[in-house]
Amino acid sequence: MASADVEDFIGQNRLLSDFVETFRGVSESDKHWKSRREFIFRNITDYEEQPRVDHLLALSMVWANNVFLGCRYNPELLEKVSEMAEGIVVEDAPVFKTRDELIQQQKQQI
């Protein structure tokens, strides 16, 4: 589902859209929320029952935290959320370097 497809889906599914909007974090930026909302819409049909919706929301936060904040998680978990987010385009996503990459970069500059 491309971003335009997500917007069309939202327009055609107001009740579901209103339900998903309740999951937005109070301090979540528009950019962050737009991407996480797309993640949720892309995967909601696999997680429609209540306990599973909670699981989907947790996965959406793992994905968003990794993309926007550089948080690290178990490699299998990151692989799963990356697959779930396949096709989501995040404009101006930050690029993070690990501590080891920063040290290596500093050594090369000396």
Side-chain angles (χ1 to χ4, degrees), residues 89-106:
V89 177
V90 179
E91 295 180 21
D92 301 323
V95 177
F96 298 97
K97 292 187 177 186
T98 64
R99 179 182 166 277
D100 292 341
E101 290 170 330
L102 292 171
I103 291 171
Q104 184 64 30
Q105 182 180 7
Q106 286 179 339

Side-chain angles (χ1 to χ4, degrees), residues 54-97:
D54 292 342
H55 188 87
L56 174 61
L57 295 176
L59 292 170
S60 74
M61 290 304 295
V62 166
W63 175 76
N65 289 344
N66 176 257
V67 170
F68 293 103
L69 303 175
C71 296
R72 305 282 178 179
Y73 297 91
N74 175 297
E76 290 83 17
L77 178 58
L78 285 177
E79 183 177 335
K80 177 181 176 97
V81 296
S82 292
E83 289 172 4
M84 293 172 74
E86 193 170 309
I88 297 175
V89 177
V90 179
E91 295 180 21
D92 301 323
V95 177
F96 298 97
K97 292 187 177 186

